[in-house]
Amino acid sequence: MAIIHGGQLSKVAKQFGIPEQEWLDLSTGIAPFSYAISAIPEKIWQDLPTISPSLITAAQQYYQAKFCWPVAGSQQLIEKLPSLWNDKNSAIKSGKIQHAYLPKVGYKEHQRAWSLAGYQIHFYQDTLPDNVEKNSVVVVINPNNPLTDTFSIQQLTQLKAHCQQQKALLIIDEAFADIFPSEFSFVPHLTNYNENNNDSANDNDNEYDDLIVLRSFGKFFGLAGIRIGFACTTETWRDIIKESIGPWSINGPALFIAEQALQDRQWQIEQSLRLEKYSKKLQELIKSHLPNVSIKANALFITVFLDNAASVYEKLCQQGVYVRLTDEQNALRFGVGNDQQLQHLTDVLNKL
Ligand SMILES: Cc1ncc(COP(=O)(O)O)c(C=O)c1O
């Protein structure tokens, strides 16, 4: 299954015969404003990386997680989860067909991972599944990429109860969730975040172990290249993930930068406001040039639905503007741009 992602500019540049440096690349949902990296001590480059308790504390506080562990981008774990789940779940050894429930439109790496592992894929979209097979897997992408649609805590709580009943693994991919207020995240609902509040209801809750929320660091902090993300999960899964990724798969500079960024509340507040502002500017720009299209937007990307999306994509590429044509070929996803990028886009749209 060949998956097309945004961000493969060199390929597209070659295809359209325009030098890479002349392109406006809005093909990803990675923030165009990056966390400013402070000087990285030489020792961090020299030493083997250590996942320090202070990083874990910073991540626990930022994600409101009782248990979490870093990974080399959430993609690392998306690829590993089928084999980890097969190992954990003894029912899978029976040789029966296994089932995975995925959004029809959404980040396709989940589908690839579970298909490769031989799972039968079932799609849903607007309504969460409520009748899943025993020992199956349910993936929710919240907010959806590229549709921006979201599910509420109430809807996810119902799904969690159903998954618990069916002994299913529930994976919630919150790669873009940092743009929302903290109440949006399902992480505090995985386990009892507040350790002092261990009453019997929570003990019951803890019997259900198979819940993982994936958090991407690169998108909101604008540093996708350093390859770090976090799994927020139960104690059991934290240990499985820790064991599986080994001691050194996340590089020292990434650990160092993430620890600072996750604690920098002031920067995070400013970044949220900045992204909101630039998303609005982008929406206005698109609406003024394409008045009759429907747009779904969040603070990191906007998805524009067009009857002729593929031909508009082609025209933009001919002008050196790279956006993401959705797999369904019915929409274009524009990553939020900075002032210079918005000006470039305005100039091109004026010409078209
Ligand atoms: C919904 C979603 N989940 C996960 C990822 C993986 O991101 P990363 O590995 O950088 O955390 C992406 C990347 O685009 C994504 O769109």
Side-chain angles (χ1 to χ4, degrees):
M1 178 178 171
I3 300 182
I4 300 170
H5 289 294
Q8 295 163 327
L9 179 60
S10 56
K11 237 161 94 182
V12 181
K14 216 168 169 184
Q15 190 188 342
F16 286 87
I18 301 173
E20 226 176 297
Q21 64 278 11
E22 289 176 23
W23 283 76
L24 168 61
D25 184 358
L26 297 176
S27 67
T28 73
I30 299 162
F33 316 105
S34 306
Y35 186 72
I37 299 170
S38 60
I40 296 175
E42 202 172 20
K43 205 168 155 41
I44 300 282
W45 295 102
Q46 285 172 336
D47 288 355
L48 283 166
T50 316
I51 295 170
S52 64
S54 56
L55 170 68
I56 299 299
T57 303
Q60 282 174 316
Q61 283 170 355
Y62 179 79
Y63 295 116
Q64 316 167 76
K66 192 165 175 189
F67 303 103
C68 63
W69 201 251
V71 288
S74 52
Q75 177 62 29
Q76 183 190 29
L77 197 53
I78 291 171
E79 289 167 25
K80 277 179 178 286
L81 278 172
S83 70
L84 298 179
W85 176 235
N86 287 350
D87 287 349
K88 179 173 188 286
N89 188 349
S90 53
I92 286 172
K93 299 202 173 79
S94 63
K96 279 202 309 208
I97 289 191
Q98 299 301 317
H99 302 266
Y101 299 79
L102 306 167
K104 174 141 185 49
V105 181
Y107 185 58
K108 286 281 181 275
E109 293 285 349
H110 292 286
Q111 186 184 339
R112 169 154 72 183
W114 294 101
S115 302
L116 282 176
Y119 279 63
Q120 184 171 331
I121 307 293
H122 305 263
F123 290 119
Y124 69 89
Q125 197 66 57
D126 298 333
T127 313
L128 291 170
D130 59 2
N131 188 17
V132 307
E133 297 278 345
K134 279 249 176 279
N135 303 299
S136 59
V137 177
V138 182
V139 177
V140 182
I141 304 175
N142 204 33
N144 184 283
N145 168 24
L147 296 182
T148 75
D149 299 340
T150 56
F151 291 105
S152 66
I153 296 295
Q154 197 193 357
Q155 288 169 306
L156 294 169
T157 304
Q158 271 173 19
L159 176 62
K160 175 183 162 184
H162 180 55
C163 288
Q164 174 162 18
Q165 215 173 37
Q166 296 303 90
K167 299 190 177 351
L169 170 64
L170 174 57
I171 301 163
I172 304 177
D173 179 343
E174 293 188 354
F176 293 92
D178 308 52
I179 53 178
F180 297 116
S182 58
E183 303 81 61
F184 175 84
S185 174
F186 199 69
V187 174
H189 305 273
L190 291 180
T191 55
N192 177 25
Y193 175 55
N194 181 354
E195 292 202 48
N196 301 324
N197 198 12
N198 260 329
D199 57 22
S200 55
N202 291 316
D203 286 346
N204 270 344
D205 232 24
N206 288 342
E207 285 170 19
Y208 178 47
D209 247 353
D210 297 318
L211 288 151
I212 302 170
V213 175
L214 302 173
R215 298 294 301 242
S216 186
F217 176 84
K219 297 176 184 1
F220 179 75
F221 291 94
L223 294 172
I226 67 171
R227 308 309 303 138
I228 186 168
F230 290 83
C232 300
T233 183
T234 57
E235 188 170 17
T236 311
W237 271 99
R238 191 271 320 268
D239 293 344
I240 293 174
I241 292 163
K242 184 173 169 178
E243 176 75 19
S244 125
I245 67 160
W248 301 314
S249 56
I250 307 139
N251 67 81
L255 296 167
F256 177 83
I257 294 163
E259 184 171 336
Q260 290 194 344
L262 292 174
Q263 294 178 93
D264 196 340
R265 188 74 197 116
Q266 189 55 36
W267 185 90
Q268 292 156 16
I269 293 168
E270 285 163 16
Q271 177 76 335
S272 295
L273 294 172
R274 201 163 30 225
L275 291 171
E276 279 292 341
K277 177 173 145 191
Y278 279 84
S279 169
K280 289 215 172 83
K281 283 190 183 193
L282 177 61
Q283 291 173 57
E284 291 310 317
L285 176 61
I286 297 295
K287 278 185 203 153
S288 67
H289 285 85
L290 300 164
N292 297 319
V293 295
S294 90
I295 295 179
K296 287 185 166 191
N298 65 32
L300 277 166
F301 58 85
I302 77 167
T303 301
V304 181
F305 294 84
L306 295 157
D307 291 337
N308 55 345
S311 84
V312 176
Y313 170 79
E314 195 82 11
K315 280 188 192 144
L316 287 170
C317 284
Q318 284 159 3
Q319 298 298 323
V321 175
Y322 180 31
V323 297
R324 172 81 162 88
L325 175 64
T326 58
D327 298 314
E328 296 68 33
Q329 308 243 324
N330 65 344
L332 300 175
R333 189 193 64 194
F334 292 69
V336 163
N338 59 27
D339 279 321
Q340 198 190 350
Q341 291 170 317
L342 283 177
Q343 188 54 53
H344 188 155
L345 184 60
T346 308
D347 295 343
V348 170
L349 291 175
N350 283 340
K351 267 198 262 171
L352 282 184

